[in-house]
Amino acid sequence: QVQLVESGGGLVQPGGSLRLSCAASRSIFSINVMGWYRQRPGKQRELVATITGGGGTNYGDSVKGRFTISRANDKNLMYLQMNSLKFEDTAVYYCYAWDPPQGSYWGQGTAVTVSS
């Protein structure tokens, strides 16, 4: 019922910053949980951050203190601000929405490469 499209990925130097955006095809006001996951080369997809409709957030241990998730419901947008990027942050980042009882949805991914 909702399509998700990520943008903002690219090449960045270690210590640099990027902001990823996720655009939804409809209002996200009623969506229970949205978040970001990533898949690093050779590894399983992992949680980066989640945000609830009430504004509560949760972060994976590897990004705590460096990444910030936010949600602009009036614009149908979700963001991931990534600071102090490391080589190990290189991954494809995916937008996620959990909208019970309808189901869950994924974006197509946007690639982030951290390299000097």
Side-chain angles (χ1 to χ4, degrees), residues 21 23 34 37 46 71 93 99 102 107-108 115:
S21 299
M34 298 190 71
Y37 287 73
E46 64 181 309
R71 182 170 175 168
Y93 286 74
D99 190 23
Q102 299 180 64
Q108 83 289 345
S115 177

Side-chain angles (χ1 to χ4, degrees), residues 33-69:
V33 178
M34 298 190 71
W36 293 92
Y37 287 73
R38 70 184 183 187
Q39 188 164 18
R40 293 181 284 173
K43 297 186 177 181
Q44 294 182 332
R45 193 170 298 185
E46 64 181 309
L47 171 71
V48 176
T50 59
I51 184 166
T52 68
T57 58
N58 185 59
Y59 295 91
D61 288 341
S62 63
V63 306
K64 287 180 180 177
R66 300 189 298 119
F67 291 10
T68 303
I69 189 171

